[in-house]
């Protein structure tokens, strides 16, 4: 399996529209910074959203596999950035479910299977052409 994302300049701006499948996101810089208008998310924000979004989906996958229902899923991601580089991430996951659901086990399994979290933790080669 592979995932493809494409970014293209939005005509009349210096922001980029990112597409993956049928979904769209806007990447931009803050207003007044390097031609940015603040119309989208910067790379760090996209990274934080990738971590949180993957974990949010993964807890739902795990719950479905275990045959349990989750009422609410909340995932908060705080990235620590030093000298322009992400040096760590703090993630808080809160699940609301029936009293008989072992939410700690759901979270533990989600963390174990998370594609994005695994990539961030271990790193992977990136080629740029």
């Amino acid at each position: 399996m592979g995932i493809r994302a494409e970014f293209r300049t939005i005509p009349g701006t210096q922001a980029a529209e990112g597409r993956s499948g049928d979904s769209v996101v806007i990447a931009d810089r803050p207003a007044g910074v390097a031609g940015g208008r603040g119309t989208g998310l910067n790379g760090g924000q996209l990274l934080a959203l990738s971590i949180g979004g993957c974990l949010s989906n993964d807890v739902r996958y795990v719950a479905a596999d275990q045959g349990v229902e989750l009422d609410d899923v909340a995932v908060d991601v705080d990235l620590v950035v030093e000298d322009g580089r992400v040096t760590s991430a703090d993630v808080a996951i809160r699940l609301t479910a029936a009293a008989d659901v072992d939410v700690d086990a759901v979270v533990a399994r989600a963390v174990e299977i998370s594609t994005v979290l695994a990539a961030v933790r271990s790193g992977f080669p990136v080629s740029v052409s």
Side-chain angles (χ1 to χ4, degrees):
M1 178 181 132
I3 299 169
R4 180 175 177 87
E6 302 172 345
F7 281 87
R8 303 291 184 267
T9 300
I10 299 169
T13 76
Q14 291 185 24
E17 177 182 87
R19 290 189 170 271
S20 186
D22 293 332
S23 298
V24 176
V25 66
I26 305 298
D28 198 3
R29 281 113 14 247
V33 177
R37 294 185 181 169
T39 60
L41 303 163
N42 68 36
Q45 292 168 320
L46 289 166
L47 177 59
L49 287 168
S50 293
I51 293 168
C54 191
L55 284 167
S56 181
N57 284 339
D58 289 337
V59 295
R60 295 283 184 185
Y61 291 139
V62 170
D65 286 347
Q66 293 180 359
V68 299
E69 290 220 14
L70 301 176
D71 298 324
D72 189 45
V73 174
V75 180
D76 298 330
V77 179
D78 291 301
L79 298 182
V80 176
V81 180
E82 297 173 358
D83 296 324
R85 293 177 184 242
V86 175
T87 57
S88 65
D90 293 314
V91 179
I93 303 174
R94 291 174 307 285
L95 307 181
T96 305
D100 63 335
V101 175
D102 185 351
V103 294
D104 291 336
V106 171
V107 169
R109 179 68 180 139
V111 167
E112 184 180 312
I113 67 168
S114 175
T115 304
V116 172
L117 194 55
V120 169
R121 282 181 165 167
S122 65
F124 54 90
V126 177
S127 63
V128 178
S129 59

